[in-house]
Amino acid sequence: IANLGSNYFKRKDYVKALENYLEVARIEDGCEDKGFKSTSIYAVGTVYNAMDKYDLAITYFEKALAIDVANGDTTKMADRYMAMGNAYTGLGNFKEARHKFIEAIKLCNAIGEVYRIGFSYMGLAKLEFKEGNYEEAIKQGELARKHFKSGERTSDWLGACTLLGELYI
């Protein structure tokens, strides 16, 4: 069912993706957690984020984060903070969004996760741009590009370069 949700999500059929992810979360709710529950709950949040239903997305991201904190899964915690940062940016709550991105960066630094740091900096760049802080947006975009380059993530490095081009324009 989760794979169906993922396929629908990739096709941007968010209603069907949501139906499948909610079903997975419902089924898993009665099962012992083997480290997957937070991923299913997080997936529901990503669909709500894509549908611009940020308040609902945040609710699911917070539920997933609580499970990850209990499991001590730092990598997933960082992902949840980044997702919340994007949702809060969508809501226009830039202060809270910035806080979430910074939390993600701290966690990633603690575990040496260069790749995810790049995504946090991209989120900060978009946030700064929306606030009208263009120089700071470019600075954050450059940090994202640098992190993707050092992590040898060519496609993400190109994404950061594209973002920087848009910021400069």
Side-chain angles (χ1 to χ4, degrees):
I1 299 173
N3 287 339
L4 284 173
S6 179
N7 286 328
Y8 284 123
F9 186 82
K10 288 175 185 173
R11 293 188 344 217
K12 298 186 185 325
D13 187 342
Y14 299 131
V15 172
K16 287 187 180 179
L18 186 60
E19 288 171 2
N20 282 276
Y21 285 142
L22 284 169
E23 180 65 10
V24 171
R26 185 193 64 74
I27 291 168
E28 286 184 342
D29 192 45
C31 300
E32 180 183 336
D33 185 17
K34 304 266 189 216
F36 301 114
K37 279 187 182 183
S38 73
T39 302
S40 301
I41 294 167
Y42 170 78
V44 173
T46 61
V47 176
Y48 280 129
N49 232 14
M51 296 171 79
D52 298 333
K53 295 182 178 185
Y54 303 115
D55 287 324
L56 287 170
I58 290 167
T59 299
Y60 281 88
F61 294 148
E62 287 174 344
K63 288 178 185 178
L65 178 64
I67 294 168
D68 297 328
V69 168
N71 290 339
D73 193 330
T74 307
T75 302
K76 286 183 181 178
M77 289 165 54
D79 287 342
R80 305 331 177 216
Y81 279 121
M82 280 186 277
M84 284 189 269
N86 289 325
Y88 280 114
T89 298
L91 287 172
N93 185 342
F94 302 125
K95 181 179 178 182
E96 191 63 27
R98 185 176 289 106
H99 170 72
K100 299 301 183 189
F101 286 127
I102 291 169
E103 285 300 312
I105 290 168
K106 286 178 188 176
L107 288 171
C108 290
N109 275 325
I111 60 174
E113 183 66 61
V114 173
Y115 169 64
R116 284 179 169 81
I117 292 173
F119 282 113
S120 293
Y121 283 125
M122 283 185 75
L124 282 169
K126 292 173 186 177
L127 177 156
E128 295 294 350
F129 181 79
K130 285 186 177 191
E131 276 196 303
N133 302 326
Y134 305 120
E135 287 182 31
E136 186 63 24
I138 290 169
K139 178 182 166 189
Q140 299 298 329
E142 288 289 352
L143 287 168
R145 187 181 60 79
K146 175 184 148 194
H147 277 80
F148 288 135
K149 183 75 171 176
S150 70
E152 299 182 19
R153 301 290 299 215
T154 306
S155 62
D156 296 319
W157 176 79
L158 288 170
C161 289
T162 301
L163 174 64
L164 278 167
E166 292 169 0
L167 296 173
Y168 277 113
I169 289 172

